[in-house]
Amino acid sequence: MEKILEAQLDSLQSQLKSSNDVLRKTAQSAARTISDDLESLRDLSRESTRDLRDEVAQRRVEIESLMQELERQRLSHGKIVTGRVVALILSGIALAGLMAAFSAFLGAKGATLPPPEPPIQLIPEQLTGSRTIRGVGGLGQVIVLPPGLSPASCPIGAGTNRTCLTME
């Protein structure tokens, strides 16, 4: 029985050794695979990082060039607007100067003219005893009619700017 047990023990030890060899080879293969996968992941990560860095640098250059173009356009538009504002202000000043000179000319011309004489009005004999009241500064006049006279409608064809009266 001892021989059987020894044979079984030898058989178990050889199976254990062969299982250990298989496990060791499997573990080594798994370790190599993991190591290879990690290396390729590291390479892929470096490549992705490099591509991303290149893309960021390219975008930065594009943004900087667009910002420079925008600044050039802003300065150009600023010059145009400034020039137009200056031209508008100068033309306003020139127009104000012309208006001042024209006003001074008209004032000087008006100062040299004699004051206008009031028109001479012929008063009909029916209006004797009436009074004329003039407005402030010569603006308009009111005629106070004598008793017995009142305003009336003028006949057709009497002309314009006339006032007709009737005796009561």
Side-chain angles (χ1 to χ4, degrees), residues 153-164:
S153 297
C154 292
I156 296 176
T160 60
N161 295 327
R162 292 182 174 257
T163 305
C164 298

Side-chain angles (χ1 to χ4, degrees), residues 1 10-11 16 22 49 57-58 66 69 80 90 95 103 108 118 123 128 132-133 137 143 146 150 157-158 165 168:
M1 176 117 142
D10 286 339
S11 172
L16 183 62
V22 169
T49 304
Q58 180 183 1
L66 288 173
E69 179 65 26
I80 290 170
L90 291 178
L95 184 61
S103 296
I123 300 175
T128 53
T132 303
I133 302 172
I143 299 175
S150 63
L165 303 171
E168 293 177 354

Side-chain angles (χ1 to χ4, degrees), residues 102-138:
F102 187 67
S103 296
F105 174 73
L106 286 179
K109 184 175 180 180
T112 59
L113 292 176
E117 294 181 14
I120 299 174
Q121 296 181 352
L122 299 174
I123 300 175
E125 61 184 62
Q126 289 89 355
L127 291 179
T128 53
S130 64
R131 294 180 300 142
T132 303
I133 302 172
R134 296 192 186 273
V136 177

Side-chain angles (χ1 to χ4, degrees), residues 26-94:
T26 303
Q28 288 173 348
S29 174
R32 274 194 306 271
T33 303
I34 289 172
S35 178
D36 292 344
D37 287 350
L38 284 175
E39 188 64 35
S40 67
L41 181 64
R42 187 180 313 132
D43 291 343
L44 183 63
S45 175
R46 284 179 183 161
E47 185 179 327
S48 295
T49 304
R50 185 176 43 248
D51 290 346
L52 185 61
R53 190 179 321 124
D54 292 345
E55 185 176 345
V56 167
Q58 180 183 1
R59 294 268 173 104
R60 187 185 74 228
V61 168
E62 289 173 4
I63 289 171
E64 286 174 352
S65 71
L66 288 173
M67 287 176 61
Q68 289 173 351
E69 179 65 26
L70 184 64
E71 183 66 19
R72 274 194 302 273
Q73 287 179 0
R74 187 185 67 79
L75 290 174
S76 172
H77 285 96
K79 287 178 184 177
I80 290 170
V81 169
T82 302
R84 287 184 180 172
V85 167
V86 167
L88 185 62
I89 290 171
L90 291 178
S91 63
I93 291 171

